[in-house]
Amino acid sequence: MTTCQVLLVACFSTALMVFSIRKAAAVTFSDAPLFQDVASYTTTITANNDLADIYYPNPSNLKTSNYSFPVALLLQGANIDKSNYSNYANLVARYGFVVVVPNHLRTSPQTGRIGLLPELSQINAVLSQMKVDSQNPTTPVSGIVDTQKLGLLGHSAGGYAGLAAIANACLPFFCEDSFNRPQELKAGAFFGSFLRNLSTQEFVPINNSGIPVALLHGTLDSINTIETANLTYEQIQEPPKLFVTIDGANHYGITNINDPSKSGYEKNTPTIPQDVATETIARWSGLFLRASILGDKSAFDYVYFTGDMKDANVSVTKQIKPIPEAPLTLGVMAISTWSVLSRLKKWLSIKTSSEVTTDS
């Protein structure tokens, strides 16, 4: 047997072993939210006077147990009011996060019109506000916020701003003067977004310094196409990174209703129910943040290994660091083989299901 054949056999053996372990874990792991109840309140961000809705887990023992929830800042799409993200924010909060959804009103540098449009300065403004609120005994989130851990969420233009922040890039139209990425920023998950310099139209290298990044995208998004998202994904310089496509969702799968701004820019009607799309995007966002910020191993296994087999509505591309203690070549081959086996298993499952339906 040649060296190549030996390596191939070892690769498949390793992949099958990992497959068996991950499959066993998938049987016991629930992808459902950790908390059933969520509360919310509205506050003003002192630094910029933005009104913000804040969602947080609200178990019966909230004030008597030692909870410490990371902050997840949701940056809105252009001219989409914060209220339109209430379903998504509520669901992400149930995975163990304090989700902050501001309305940022400013003059658009492109059109000169006043409207809702995110910018990078919001990140430090919200982080500072949460540090104050967490120490203020009169606020609902007093004593339950981990302000040393920040995750970014974003939709469309909000995802653009979030990606620029992770890249530590002060780009035209979304940043004035300068921006310094806060050390508290640990991960980001963005829906319907891309990142390129709007002045030059060149895609921007995302020097993420190892900060995990997830791009989520609807297959029917006609505003920011999947091809554009793919080009952005390729610009993420360091793993771990994740690209999740949601079958049948359009640009507004993350909002409570389709096209809440009534812009008419989205030409495609979604073929997946709005509540299913929103739940799917929130589940993958919440588990990705848990895996990335909290080191939740079960969540990590779900988003990188087993989730796409369980969820018929998504397809996943990912790049993660090689398995520790494994040679680089073997680790990469094992991950590649795992991906092939996962897709084969999913295909066989779909094929079997269709055959059963046909026979009946």
Side-chain angles (χ1 to χ4, degrees), residues 13-64:
S13 298
T14 302
L16 288 171
M17 179 180 66
V18 173
F19 184 85
S20 300
I21 294 171
R22 301 294 184 185
K23 183 177 179 182
V27 172
T28 58
F29 174 67
S30 171
D31 57 15
L34 280 71
F35 300 91
Q36 292 302 311
D37 296 320
V38 168
S40 64
Y41 68 102
T42 300
T43 192
T44 300
I45 307 300
T46 303
N48 55 21
N49 291 319
D50 286 351
L51 282 178
D53 295 334
I54 299 178
Y55 303 78
Y56 59 96
N58 191 33
S60 58
N61 62 345
L62 180 66
K63 295 299 184 179
T64 58

Side-chain angles (χ1 to χ4, degrees), residues 194-277:
F194 67 94
L195 186 65
R196 63 185 176 195
N197 188 314
L198 298 182
S199 295
T200 65
Q201 296 303 312
E202 295 179 349
F203 284 87
V204 178
I206 302 172
N207 297 310
N208 55 319
S209 302
I211 295 173
V213 179
L215 298 181
L216 301 98
H217 220 84
T219 58
L220 295 181
D221 190 333
S222 68
I223 296 178
N224 295 332
T225 65
I226 282 187
E227 290 75 19
T228 303
N230 260 315
L231 290 170
T232 296
Y233 177 78
E234 291 171 3
Q235 292 295 326
I236 301 171
Q237 303 294 290
E238 296 183 21
K241 60 181 182 177
L242 192 72
F243 187 37
V244 181
T245 58
I246 298 89
D247 294 337
N250 69 3
H251 190 66
Y252 298 103
I254 194 173
T255 52
N256 294 354
I257 60 173
N258 182 41
D259 195 8
S261 66
K262 307 302 180 185
S263 68
Y265 293 141
E266 174 58 86
K267 304 304 181 185
N268 293 330
T269 300
T271 58
I272 186 174
Q274 194 73 18
D275 60 336
V276 175

